[in-house]
Amino acid sequence: MPETDDNFLAQLDDIARILIRERADDASPVIPPTKPGDVGALFESHAPEEGQAWADTLAQIEERVLPHTTRWGHPGFFGYFPAGTSEPAILGELLAAGLGQQGMLWQTSPVCTELETRVMDWLARALGLPERFCAEPIGAAPGVPVGGGVIQGTASEAALCVIAAARDRALNRLPEGERWPTRCVVYTSEQSHSSIEKACRVLGPQMVARAVPTDDTLAMDPDALERSIAADVRTQGVVPCCVVATLGTTATCAVDPIEAIGRIAREHHLWAHADAAYMGAQLILPEQRHHAKGVERFDSFTMNPHKWLLVNFDCSALWLSPGARRDLIGTMSITPEYLRTSASDSGSVIDYRDWHVPLGRRFRALKLWMVLRHFGLVGLRSYIQRHLDWAQELVAWLEADKRFEVAFPVESGLVCCALHDDDATRTLMERVNATGEVFLTHCVVPVRGRSRYLVRIAFGNSQTQPSHVQRLFELFDTHAHTP
Ligand code: PLP
């Protein structure tokens, strides 16, 4: 620990200077030239016996840490989906760390709890989600059950919670003697994120993840979903429990038909969950909300402010309908004596420990609140709009050049493209990445019935400017020429 307040302030300055310098640096390569084991070899095998001077630690940060970071904030980082950040988010994270709030119960941090409730309602409304996902719905009659939002670490954790609760909801409908060894089925498209299958695996052999075929746009085929459910309903010892629709699949940003899936889920009493990890941020633009039309029939909805909404990792937003909130708490809540408080017993407060797997929880609402306050919805809308516009601009340039093929209509901030054959596309991506100026990742998906290797270009980085998009296209142009 620093010995004086002045030291602490000076150290904060040192860190701020590093962050400012890093942000301005678009000359260093996006991916460090680090080889496996290089970093481990720089650090001793034991912790120091004596405390070390800040100057030495700072020198080690400069020499041993910074040269080996993957620069997710680099303006040329177009890989995976973005992991955004911003000054208000960094300040919020710092303040939360310093305040050391542990918000497992309302009593252990009233502000961690109540600010989270409030700011999740803000965000639900900012995205145009139904009021039934809010904890304090506008116009609701007193005493009527309400839904609400909770900040999870990741969309994967959100999916795990939701699927566990959906399983229990389905099993609780059965007579007690029939609940085991019944198998519970979760339907999700062949293109959904691996976290859905992982959630089923973690929840044990009782859970089955059923991959539903997709159409030409790689969106879930609702007729195939119907057929799959019907087959399971006819099978002894199998209970359909949940359908997970994706709004913006990881590979290509395909959008599952939310309205049809919600209707089918209702018909068969399935929990409907929407995973909008990346693309959910786009709903901040009213004209983009058609993608989520029908979501009012869903039980739960997730999106990650830590991807495209300028909040640093981790911050994943999960909203629940009133029934889903009740069922999630039913699954997650275990109350040993040492966690009992009079506030909890009164039933008038939220204890967010009952809304996810961990007991302890960070004060993540602070950075989300600070980002929403700093940019305002107007600022966030123009931020997202800019990325959508650049994606369309890039599509136009690619389409005007006969060497390139844009694989799917672009509805979001992700562009997937290819050269005439897979080897050429892979080589193009490797060459462009080798420049260090940009970083792209790939996917392999069916395009018109044929498996294709596609380069993905994901927008959402706060440092990217039009000049970087132009440079990306120049690199494509140059390296597509190279034999
Ligand atoms: N769902 C989708 C559609 C994703 O694209 C991703 C990650 O990119 C995830 C879930 C997992 O996100 P997280 O890292 O928050 O678990």
Side-chain angles (χ1 to χ4, degrees), residues 395-412:
V395 166
W397 296 339
L398 290 165
E399 284 183 342
D401 186 326
K402 291 286 167 267
R403 290 168 298 171
F404 301 108
E405 181 192 341
V406 177
F408 298 99
V410 172
E411 307 255 27
S412 185

Side-chain angles (χ1 to χ4, degrees), residues 81 153-156 193 195 246 248-250 275 277 304 306-307 313 316:
F81 280 137
T154 60
S156 306
H193 191 262
S195 52
T246 315
T249 58
T250 311
D275 173 5
N304 284 352
H306 70 222
K307 282 187 159 55
F313 189 84
S316 181

Side-chain angles (χ1 to χ4, degrees), residues 5 23 43 60 64 76 90 112 166 178 204 218 241 253 304 325 337 352-353 408 413 416 463 471:
D5 291 351
R23 190 182 52 187
F43 294 90
Q60 293 210 358
R64 303 184 185 185
I90 294 166
C112 179
E178 288 177 28
L218 304 189
C241 75
C253 253
N304 284 352
R325 170 178 169 165
E337 190 55 35
Y352 277 121
R353 72 177 179 103
F408 298 99
C416 294
Q463 298 304 307
R471 181 66 190 142

Side-chain angles (χ1 to χ4, degrees), residues 101-106 108 112 157 332-336 338-340 351-362 364:
Q101 298 297 283
Q102 207 282 47
M104 59 190 182
L105 303 168
W106 177 88
T108 61
C112 179
E157 292 161 69
M332 293 291 159
S333 182
I334 298 173
T335 306
Y338 50 79
L339 290 177
R340 287 193 69 176
D351 291 325
Y352 277 121
R353 72 177 179 103
D354 294 333
W355 294 50
H356 53 43
V357 174
L359 171 63
R361 61 198 324 271
R362 306 189 314 111
R364 287 177 288 222

